[in-house]
Amino acid sequence: MPNLKDLKNRIASVKNTRKITKAMQMVAAAKLRRAQEAAEQSRPYTARFNAVLGGLAASVGGSDSAPKLLSGTGADQVHLLVVMTAERGLCGGFNSNISKLARAKAEELIAAGKTVKVLTVGKKGRDAIRRDLGQYFVGHVDLSEVKRLGYDNAQGIAQDILTRFDGGEFDVATIFYAKFVNVVSQIPTAQQIIPAAYEADEDAGASTLYDYEPSEEAILADLLPRGVATQIFSALLENAASEQGARMSAMDNATRNAGEMIDKLTIEFNRSRQAVITNELIEIISGAEAL
């Protein structure tokens, strides 16, 4: 028979845990509102910026004067994987799903004879991947002290990547993050950022003509680095919203599970207490009959 004191302590412990998970759920809900607004507000700008670059890229095409960020190095041997996750856990499968996608891509490239390099943004991604791909690590970006993500954070990451590209350290760069859909759905996404892959704006129409000053190549050379930073910033915002959505969902599940466990333990406690009382009554009755 379970000890009544132990059961009582377990019930109290689970109740305290439920209070914590409920509080974390409420905090995540408040943070999600701001993060979701930021992610959604950035999407039109990012889409339009990419469309403008797509139009310029289409006009330049494969000319010899095309910027290196657009045309690439001419090789496909060395790949830089930029894995963007959270600094904290307790957010369900958010971090592990991104890491799993990046790990699968790395294994695919390695099997194809490619050279892989890994740059991580966020402690959880670094910890998850280091076990299997630690020998491929080339750097880490720590955002643990950042309270609110800004474009400067994306620029710092972009500058690191661009410096490595200019130094000939890799041929292709791909970022991994989670695209926010809603509280229960965050889609792990891989997006190539170098060489830049932009689609022309279909709404512009085939008959629309533009005169560029200076040349299209010069404009692209100036805008493409900003495009890398813009894509990274958009990914950071999507990640921030996805993280809070996943944490809110995970803490809601944890709160409900704690409630179910409390109900089960309470039933067990009541049954055990009833059994103890029944035994005591039997002993009293037996003692009275003996007298």
Side-chain angles (χ1 to χ4, degrees):
M1 182 182 297
N3 186 287
L4 290 178
K5 184 177 181 181
D6 290 342
L7 284 173
K8 193 172 183 179
N9 289 338
R10 287 180 63 188
I11 292 172
S13 177
V14 177
K15 283 183 177 180
N16 289 335
T17 301
R18 184 173 62 176
K19 289 179 182 179
I20 294 172
T21 57
K22 185 63 177 178
M24 292 182 67
Q25 178 188 351
M26 296 174 66
V27 171
K31 290 183 176 180
L32 171 62
R33 193 175 301 111
R34 295 192 299 268
Q36 182 176 353
E37 288 176 357
E40 291 177 346
Q41 289 172 3
S42 74
R43 289 173 183 173
Y45 172 81
T46 303
R48 188 58 185 162
F49 187 88
N50 291 344
V52 171
L53 285 180
L56 285 167
S59 62
V60 171
S63 65
D64 295 336
S65 58
K68 190 178 178 182
L69 279 175
L70 180 63
S71 61
T73 62
D76 183 32
Q77 181 59 34
V78 184
H79 288 252
L80 177 67
L81 309 184
V82 184
V83 186
M84 307 169 69
T85 57
E87 296 289 343
R88 298 168 54 204
L90 297 177
C91 47
F94 168 74
N95 293 309
S96 60
N97 289 338
I98 298 173
S99 301
K100 182 179 179 181
L101 179 64
R103 190 183 299 111
K105 180 64 175 179
E107 292 172 352
E108 176 187 336
L109 291 169
I110 293 170
K114 308 294 184 180
T115 300
V116 170
K117 297 183 178 181
V118 179
L119 174 68
T120 55
V121 180
K123 183 175 67 174
K124 290 301 177 181
R126 179 193 63 189
D127 295 344
I129 295 180
R130 184 162 49 186
R131 292 188 295 270
D132 300 323
L133 303 174
Q135 67 270 33
Y136 303 108
F137 267 56
V138 296
H140 173 70
V141 178
D142 186 356
L143 298 178
S144 58
E145 300 300 324
V146 177
K147 301 300 181 184
R148 188 169 184 176
L149 288 169
Y151 188 71
D152 290 344
N153 303 118
Q155 277 187 317
I157 300 170
Q159 188 56 53
D160 184 4
I161 296 172
L162 292 171
T163 300
R164 295 176 186 274
F165 182 68
D166 292 337
E169 295 187 23
F170 65 88
D171 302 311
V172 180
T174 304
I175 58 175
F176 296 84
Y177 64 99
K179 185 175 180 62
F180 178 79
V181 179
N182 51 49
V183 173
V184 296
S185 180
Q186 304 86 34
I187 303 174
T189 303
Q191 179 180 348
Q192 180 178 309
I193 58 174
I194 299 177
Y198 296 107
E199 295 182 0
D201 187 2
E202 297 178 357
D203 296 333
S207 62
T208 305
L209 297 175
Y210 297 95
D211 289 328
Y212 293 99
E213 182 66 32
S215 66
E216 295 160 327
E217 290 84 355
I219 295 175
L220 272 175
D222 181 66
L223 289 183
L224 284 172
R226 302 187 192 184
V228 173
T230 298
Q231 289 176 314
I232 291 174
F233 185 47
S234 177
L236 287 174
L237 293 178
E238 293 285 344
N239 251 14
S242 296
E243 176 190 352
Q244 298 305 330
R247 179 169 291 114
M248 180 180 171
S249 180
M251 291 301 101
D252 178 57
N253 290 334
T255 300
R256 285 190 283 105
N257 290 339
E260 292 175 2
M261 183 175 292
I262 290 170
D263 292 340
K264 291 179 181 178
L265 289 173
T266 301
I267 292 173
E268 186 177 357
F269 175 81
N270 290 336
R271 286 175 176 172
S272 298
R273 185 175 61 178
Q274 185 178 12
V276 170
I277 294 172
T278 301
N279 288 335
E280 290 178 351
L281 287 174
I282 292 174
E283 290 176 359
I284 294 173
I285 294 172
S286 299
E289 290 179 349
L291 293 176

